[in-house]
């Protein structure tokens, strides 16, 4: 049986807890990204509060952008310390993944530059829910 939702919020996917304690590594998010690249059954991904940072967000978003089978409709990336640099990867993914209709990026470090990149990427997409 396949699941349509993956909820990995607050799971230290990059080795850090919510306080920033631990050692940063992308191994966890890279493994998940590799699986998502070839998985068509997942429509909702919740990975908030994992301190993914720019590198982790980029790995995840690049996998979704490069996937030939993704059907992800909702992606939640809140509380992950994503800066304008990571927002570039999020925007690139949002611009080409036609199935995505909801993107949550609240409580990151996007700044106005990062927010503008994401807004521009989804410009003209009727009904798109963007939470910054």
């Amino acid at each position: 049986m396949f699941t349509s939702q993956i909820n990995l919020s607050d799971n230290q996917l990059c080795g850090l807890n919510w306080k920033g304690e631990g050692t940063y590594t992308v191994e966890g998010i890279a493994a998940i990204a590799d699986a998502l690249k070839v998985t068509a059954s997942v429509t909702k991904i919740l990975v908030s509060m994992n301190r993914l940072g720019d590198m982790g967000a980029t790995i995840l978003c690049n996998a979704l952008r490069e996937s030939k089978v993704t059907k992800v409709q909702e992606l939640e990336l809140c509380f992950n310390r994503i800066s304008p640099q990571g927002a570039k990867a999020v925007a690139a993914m949002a611009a080409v993944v036609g199935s995505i209709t909801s993107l949550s990026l609240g409580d990151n470090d996007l700044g106005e530059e990062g927010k503008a990149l994401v807004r521009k990427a989804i410009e003209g997409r009727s009904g798109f829910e963007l939470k910054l």
Side-chain angles (χ1 to χ4, degrees), residues 44-125:
K44 187 174 185 177
I45 302 170
L46 309 172
V47 289
S48 292
M49 299 186 318
N50 277 293
R51 287 188 174 240
L52 298 180
D54 293 333
M55 194 179 313
T58 297
I59 289 169
L60 177 61
C61 289
N62 284 351
L64 294 174
R65 180 177 51 83
E66 295 166 4
S67 174
K68 305 282 190 237
V69 297
T70 189
K71 292 185 178 138
V72 171
Q73 297 170 358
E74 184 176 342
L75 177 59
E76 188 176 283
L77 290 164
C78 302
F79 294 99
N80 272 303
R81 301 237 164 159
I82 302 168
S83 77
Q85 184 63 36
K88 290 177 186 175
V90 176
M93 177 276 303
V96 299
V97 176
S99 61
I100 195 156
T101 58
S102 178
L103 183 57
S104 297
L105 289 161
D107 295 297
N108 279 293
D109 304 317
L110 301 175
E112 288 308 312
E113 177 188 357
K115 290 176 183 178
L117 287 168
V118 176
R119 283 186 190 111
K120 184 166 178 61
I122 62 160
E123 207 169 58
R125 298 212 16 213

